[in-house]
Amino acid sequence: MNRSPLRGHRMAFTESIIAHFRRLENALNQALARLQDTTDTEALHDVRINLRRIRILLRPLRGTPGVAQLDNAAASLKEAQNALGDWHDRFVWCRQAENQQDLWPLLPEWQDAQETALERAEAALFALSRALTSKTRDASRS
């Protein structure tokens, strides 16, 4: 059987991407678990960073035959990253308003917007979790 050396390089490349993805997925899951600890001020930042790293890792694979299902996961990643960013911005605004008397009149409206942004972020993270879980299940069946 005559195998092309290119095939071996592709397999090594693919295995490298999968290993890197699994490390990032593990780091993301750890950061998501840390969100429960309200004293961990870096957890949200770590979630956002890991989401961005996963998106960057998947970007070159767009349109590659056999990995088209990643497009939905990538869209979910982007939505989660955007929703978390929106919530974080509103969270910072509310903390700032609590400490600046001239912003107090805006606080109720900002708190409502923060709650809405949090609900959107939670929904986006749930959709992301479903997308990643289905992709992991699909990959393990292959």
Side-chain angles (χ1 to χ4, degrees):
M1 183 186 313
N2 187 7
R3 289 195 172 173
S4 163
L6 184 59
R7 180 179 175 157
H9 290 291
R10 272 189 269 154
M11 289 302 293
F13 177 71
T14 301
E15 290 171 4
S16 172
I17 286 179
I18 291 169
H20 193 96
F21 176 81
R22 292 192 191 279
R23 283 191 302 272
L24 289 172
E25 182 181 29
N26 185 42
L28 174 61
N29 287 331
Q30 289 176 4
L32 287 169
R34 289 175 32 224
L35 284 175
Q36 302 303 315
D37 181 0
T38 57
T39 63
D40 189 344
T41 58
E42 291 297 312
L44 179 61
H45 175 72
D46 291 345
V47 169
R48 293 173 67 194
I49 293 298
N50 283 298
L51 287 174
R52 185 181 54 146
R53 288 178 178 163
I54 291 170
R55 283 184 56 219
I56 290 168
L57 179 67
L58 297 178
R59 187 175 294 145
L61 301 177
R62 285 188 190 154
T64 302
V67 293
Q69 68 271 21
L70 290 176
D71 287 340
N72 288 338
S76 294
L77 282 166
K78 184 174 182 169
E79 176 60 27
Q81 188 178 6
N82 289 340
L84 283 169
D86 184 43
W87 173 78
H88 185 259
D89 290 347
R90 293 172 191 284
F91 174 81
V92 170
W93 296 346
C94 288
R95 296 302 78 75
Q96 186 175 3
E98 289 171 354
N99 297 315
Q100 293 184 17
Q101 190 172 2
D102 59 323
L103 296 176
W104 286 355
L106 300 171
L107 192 55
E109 182 180 340
W110 286 4
Q111 287 171 329
D112 288 344
Q114 178 190 0
E115 185 64 31
T116 300
L118 177 59
E119 290 168 4
R120 184 174 157 248
E122 288 173 340
L125 287 171
F126 182 70
L128 172 61
S129 175
R130 282 193 323 246
L132 291 176
T133 300
S134 70
K135 299 311 166 235
T136 303
R137 261 195 321 258
D138 292 347
S140 67
R141 290 182 190 156
S142 305

